[in-house]
Each structure stands twice: as structure tokens, then as C-alpha cells.
Amino acid sequence: MEASIMDGKTKRCGAVSGLTTVVNPISLARLVMEKTPHIYLAFDAAEAFARAHVSVFYSLLLVTCIDY
């Protein structure tokens, strides 16, 4: 999945792509915009960033995998 976001007032933006475990990519794109100097994170970097911030946004970011 992918997502991007921009704040029209400040002209800041954030984007992510290549996500496989993130349920809400727009929330992750917002984190990229607000918490990093970067504009775009993709694939492994985006997944690692999500895992690093999972304690803050646990319910929004990662899929819980359950084996049946």
C-alpha cells in the first residue's frame, strides 16, 4: 500500500509506499511528515519506521497476524 499527505499551510509533506504490514498508511505518512526530515520512505525503510513507532501508534499501524 501507499499514501501521501501534505499540510497546505506549512507546505510540509510525507509519503510512504511498498507497505505490507501497515493497516493505515496515511497515519504512517503523517508520522513521516511530522517526525522526520524526510519526505518519502519506501519498502524496508517504511516498515522499519512503522515498527520503531509502533509503541506510539500501535492500534493504527501494524497488522496483528494470528495463525489459525
Side-chain angles (χ1 to χ4, degrees), residues 1-63:
M1 284 194 281
E2 52 275 325
S4 63
I5 189 168
M6 183 174 185
D7 182 341
K9 187 179 278 188
T10 64
K11 306 294 191 254
R12 295 191 66 210
C13 58
V16 292
S17 68
L19 302 170
T20 57
T21 63
V22 176
V23 174
N24 194 343
I26 195 68
S27 293
L28 189 61
R30 179 180 287 275
L31 279 176
V32 170
M33 178 180 74
E34 293 176 349
K35 304 290 185 188
T36 75
H38 306 294
I39 294 171
Y40 175 68
L41 295 177
F43 297 95
D44 293 340
E47 296 282 353
F49 182 73
R51 282 190 301 278
H53 289 82
V54 71
S55 63
V56 178
F57 292 96
Y58 183 78
S59 64
L60 295 176
L61 296 178
L62 297 179
V63 173

